[in-house]
Amino acid sequence: MQAKKRYILVIICCAFLAYCYLGGYRLKGLQTLFRMRVRKNPDNLPSYHQLHYQYTDSTESAEHTQSLPDDDLFAAPAYESRSRDLAPQPSFQGGAIRRVTDEGSATFKSCRMETCFDFSKCSDKNFYVYVYPPEPLNSLGATPPISQNYQKIISAIQESRYYTTNPEQACLFVLGIDTLDRDSLSEDFVRNVPSRLQRLPHWNNGRNHIIFNLYSGTWPDYNENGLGFDPGQAILAKASMSVQSLRPGFDVSIPLFHKQFPLRGGNTGFVVSNNFPANKKYLLAFKGKRYVHGIGSETRNSLFHLHNARDFVLVTTCKHGKSWRDLQDARCDEDNREYDRYDYETLLQNSTFCLVPRGRRLGSFRFLEVLQAGCIPVLLSNSWVLPFQSKIDWKQAAIWADERLLLQVPDIVRSVSTSRILALRQQTQVLWERYFSSIEKIIFTTFEIIRERLPDYPHRNGLTWNTSPGALLTIPTFSDTHRRFPFLLDKLGHTPGLNYTAVIFVQIGTQLTPNTALYKLVKSITKSQYIDKILILWATDRSVPPKKRWPSTGHIPLHIISGSTSEDRPSISQRFYPHEQIETDAVLSLDEDAILNTDELDFAYHVWRDFPDRIVGYPARAHFWDDSKNAWGYTSKWTNYYSIVLTGAAFYHRYYNYLYTNWLSYLLLKTVQQSSNCEDILMNLLVSHVTRKPPIKVTQRKGYKDRESGRSPWNDPDHFIQRQSCLNTFAAVFGYMPLLRSNLRLDPVLYRDSVSNLRKKYRQIELVGS
């Protein structure tokens, strides 16, 4: 019996060895044949993406794999190929491969910037966008409908620096036809779009056009390419895009936003600074609709398996739509009762992670909502291309999960360390505030992504795009090095350049004598050990005093710029123009009647070097909310806090001159021009908007003006009324109030202490009265 067993064992071993030999030989032969084919025609190799999609799901049929197109739809230009890896995610959708099936030709599929975009219409200096005017009245005397959100998009463009009324200047063209909602069952669906496109004078099969879209397709399949018209060679700025339909380096994925989304400004993030508890009440949360059947129903119908009402709260409701009772299943009543127990806003703000499952389409309103709340998104939408994914590194702000492996989600979120939770939550606030809090920011980000594809326009790297203040406020034409941007110095471990340029704005122009404030001010500046040059901006009708009347500046250059150097620039804003004579990072902005001694200037400069991204100076003011007038108020009273440091005696970085002149809305500059006032308030709002930090006041000095200057505009009784009006106009254009309050005041070391003055560095400041 034992011998029989041994014989059987030997036979099995021989059979196994023979199988391995013959199988390996067959595999080796296949590999050799494959190599021969590659050598003969390497172009027959499938792309990486084709291979990836073919083998992501074992249930895919031969028909699916053979239906992939021959041309490589996913080959990105070299400058964007790496950016596609910023946020890796599952690249399958319901276990099947979906072909790009638009109503148009193969041109749509193969479009690249190099093939479907006319770069000759664009300039690296000016990036203009033309918006088609509203269509004429139809036969019934009515204009075609435009949704509230599309009107916001048009308004954002028309009120921006991108806008041009001349189509010959335009790099991009935006339709006057509302294409946001292409669901034929929606009340916002616009009909007859194909014929309307053909009537556009500059359509040219969509070349250099950009089409904005939030919803496409309709019940029951919600085909993401079902726009109802052929976009031709137009760029799609579209929500809910999949990796299979996106044309890399050409289309732009945007977020889905609701009808109440703000045009500009937007609400700030809900996370308060320095308030990041490691553990919140709930670890993972979701509250939303449940689809009983149809596309997008599988995931949400299974969420009840994760709900435990303790650290995991995932509740859904069937109660939506007109016929929900006819379609409800056995779980609906129980789900609805559990759903009503939780308040949505409270749930968001008390959860560490928030689930963002797909809806009928890949995108969801939940994405922006959880981003604002500082709740870390856990994405459950296979194949979704996240908004602005080519530029934003979503690994720093979100977590990915697989729709088909739902039960693994608890283990995924529990495995995230406390330190990474803190970093992820902080990054949600950066991205929300810089790119997603308003329609204006979403549209401008889309434009800047397209602008960086122009051959001659410099590209901002990942550090710029993914750290505050973000790419919209970092203009690459200012400098080709990060060391020239004040908010990047600390991140890179650099310090600002040495010395400063004093810019004195002369608006009164009193006679220049040794006893006048201007004469004394120039004299004090020349004694500073850090002064590089002095720039006099002579903005008065009086003639410039001859050179012999000015105090001797020794080796310090003194330049005088008389009048406005540009007809279209407001003269009072000339003080913030990026004059070519300013070569230092630090700018000392002064009014002609400022009275500061050399020690005060040097001390303020030392403070500024520690805070190069802020305004650092002497005279402080404050803003407040006036309930009686339902408006912002402005005061010069000596309060316990301040939010403005006037630029009549302050240091700031010269990059803000560039932003003030080249980035601010024309409406803001026009307000300054018309009032001949408020330019210093506007500069404070600009810097606070960029940094999200308050300015810094130095020393106790309150009065800094020469009281003998009788013609000073500060003596005008309407001065404060004007400034309060400006403040409210500025806040309306920004969309929120950027100013932040502070009660910090920096004095010289050992200031007001009983230690001998001989041990102090800035002894003259002690002699200055308040």
Side-chain angles (χ1 to χ4, degrees), residues 82-88 389-395 466:
R82 291 189 301 272
S83 64
R84 288 181 52 80
D85 297 327
L86 288 176
Q389 183 169 305
S390 64
K391 298 297 181 182
I392 293 179
D393 184 359
W394 284 108
K395 295 195 299 294
N466 292 280

Side-chain angles (χ1 to χ4, degrees), residues 90-358:
S91 54
F92 34 78
Q93 184 170 342
I97 299 175
R98 300 178 62 184
R99 294 189 62 187
V100 179
T101 56
D102 63 305
E103 291 85 351
S105 63
T107 305
F108 173 85
K109 302 177 186 178
S110 59
C111 265
R112 298 289 182 268
M113 294 294 289
E114 295 80 6
T115 59
C116 296
F117 196 88
D118 186 358
F119 291 113
S120 67
K121 290 181 174 291
C122 307
S123 166
D124 58 328
K125 295 182 179 179
N126 296 311
F127 185 82
Y128 289 123
V129 180
Y130 175 78
V131 180
Y132 284 96
E135 292 183 280
L137 300 177
N138 57 25
S139 58
L140 299 177
T143 56
I146 292 183
S147 65
Q148 184 178 357
N149 273 343
Y150 201 71
Q151 185 57 57
K152 290 178 182 177
I153 291 175
I154 292 177
S155 298
I157 298 171
Q158 291 178 337
E159 295 170 6
S160 73
R161 286 181 173 268
Y162 297 103
Y163 181 61
T164 180
T165 56
N166 183 2
E168 300 301 322
Q169 292 181 339
C171 174
L172 276 181
F173 294 80
V174 173
L175 304 180
I177 305 168
D178 186 353
T179 57
L180 285 186
D181 195 339
R182 301 308 298 159
D183 186 336
S184 58
L185 299 179
S186 171
E187 61 182 11
D188 291 327
F189 180 76
V190 177
R191 306 185 184 280
N192 304 320
V193 172
S195 60
R196 291 175 178 176
L197 290 177
Q198 298 308 316
R199 291 197 295 267
L200 297 178
H202 311 285
W203 174 241
N204 191 24
N205 194 31
R207 183 169 286 246
N208 285 57
H209 284 63
I210 181 169
I211 294 174
F212 293 97
N213 175 253
L214 296 181
Y215 313 96
S216 58
T218 188
W219 175 266
D221 59 350
Y222 294 95
N223 176 19
E224 68 170 295
N225 299 296
L227 295 174
F229 64 90
D230 178 11
Q233 298 178 353
I235 296 172
L236 292 181
K238 191 176 182 304
S240 303
M241 296 194 81
S242 69
V243 293
Q244 294 90 346
S245 294
L246 176 80
R247 295 170 291 179
F250 194 74
D251 294 328
V252 180
S253 178
I254 64 174
L256 186 64
F257 49 86
H258 52 69
K259 293 183 178 180
Q260 291 75 39
F261 211 67
L263 168 60
R264 58 175 63 88
N267 295 324
T268 57
F270 293 159
V271 178
V272 180
S273 179
N274 298 322
N275 182 22
F276 291 93
N279 298 309
K280 292 194 173 184
K281 184 176 181 180
Y282 306 113
L283 182 61
L284 179 67
F286 173 76
K287 181 179 180 180
K289 297 177 183 177
R290 177 165 73 87
Y291 309 112
V292 178
H293 64 88
I295 189 170
S297 62
E298 297 88 349
T299 301
R300 296 195 182 196
N301 283 342
S302 304
L303 292 182
F304 75 94
H305 290 296
L306 305 182
H307 175 71
N308 61 18
R310 297 187 304 276
D311 57 341
F312 287 81
V313 175
L314 300 106
V315 290
T316 58
T317 179
C318 307
K319 199 183 296 184
H320 57 87
K322 297 179 180 178
S323 56
W324 72 271
R325 289 191 179 278
D326 299 332
L327 301 174
Q328 65 178 332
D329 58 16
R331 286 198 52 83
C332 278
D333 290 338
E334 180 182 350
D335 284 351
N336 291 341
R337 284 193 298 270
E338 193 71 5
Y339 180 89
D340 293 336
R341 287 181 52 194
Y342 299 93
D343 176 73
Y344 180 62
E345 295 294 335
T346 304
L347 198 61
L348 278 183
Q349 297 185 39
N350 286 278
S351 301
T352 302
F353 297 92
C354 288
L355 201 66
V356 183
R358 62 164 296 165

Side-chain angles (χ1 to χ4, degrees), residues 4 12 36 48 82 121 175 206 233 238 247-248 317 344 354 429 479 486 499 533 571 574 587 671 691 694 736 745 752:
K4 184 177 181 180
I12 291 174
M36 290 175 62
Y48 164 78
R82 291 189 301 272
K121 290 181 174 291
L175 304 180
Q233 298 178 353
K238 191 176 182 304
R247 295 170 291 179
T317 179
Y344 180 62
C354 288
Q429 303 304 278
S479 175
N499 301 333
K533 68 181 64 170
S571 59
Q574 182 186 358
V587 177
T671 302
T691 63
Y736 77 114
R745 191 186 79 193
R752 293 298 187 190

Side-chain angles (χ1 to χ4, degrees), residues 328-481:
Q328 65 178 332
D329 58 16
R331 286 198 52 83
C332 278
D333 290 338
E334 180 182 350
D335 284 351
N336 291 341
R337 284 193 298 270
E338 193 71 5
Y339 180 89
D340 293 336
R341 287 181 52 194
Y342 299 93
D343 176 73
Y344 180 62
E345 295 294 335
T346 304
L347 198 61
L348 278 183
Q349 297 185 39
N350 286 278
S351 301
T352 302
F353 297 92
C354 288
L355 201 66
V356 183
R358 62 164 296 165
R360 292 298 194 189
R361 301 171 180 88
L362 293 176
S364 169
F365 291 127
R366 296 291 179 269
F367 182 70
L368 290 187
E369 291 168 353
V370 303
L371 209 63
Q372 180 184 11
C375 189
I376 302 166
V378 179
L379 305 172
L380 214 60
S381 181
N382 294 353
S383 193
W384 181 29
V385 179
L386 292 188
F388 311 137
Q389 183 169 305
S390 64
K391 298 297 181 182
I392 293 179
D393 184 359
W394 284 108
K395 295 195 299 294
Q396 298 182 28
I399 300 292
W400 277 262
D402 187 340
E403 286 183 59
R404 304 178 302 180
L405 302 174
L406 180 65
L407 298 182
Q408 291 185 358
V409 171
D411 291 333
I412 291 174
V413 296
R414 286 193 176 105
S415 67
V416 182
S417 65
T418 302
S419 60
R420 188 167 183 230
I421 287 175
L422 173 61
L424 289 167
R425 192 178 299 152
Q426 287 175 324
Q427 189 65 5
T428 62
Q429 303 304 278
V430 171
L431 298 179
W432 165 260
E433 298 225 357
R434 297 307 178 180
Y435 303 115
F436 297 105
S437 63
S438 68
I439 291 177
E440 182 183 69
K441 291 177 183 176
I442 292 172
I443 300 306
F444 292 175
T445 303
T446 302
F447 288 163
E448 286 302 309
I449 289 175
I450 297 173
R451 190 177 190 177
E452 283 200 2
R453 296 170 182 169
L454 302 181
D456 297 327
Y457 193 76
H459 295 168
R460 286 155 286 203
N461 64 11
L463 173 69
T464 303
W465 277 94
N466 292 280
T467 57
S468 192
L472 296 186
L473 289 164
T474 308
I475 304 179
T477 52
F478 170 73
S479 175
D480 58 358
T481 173

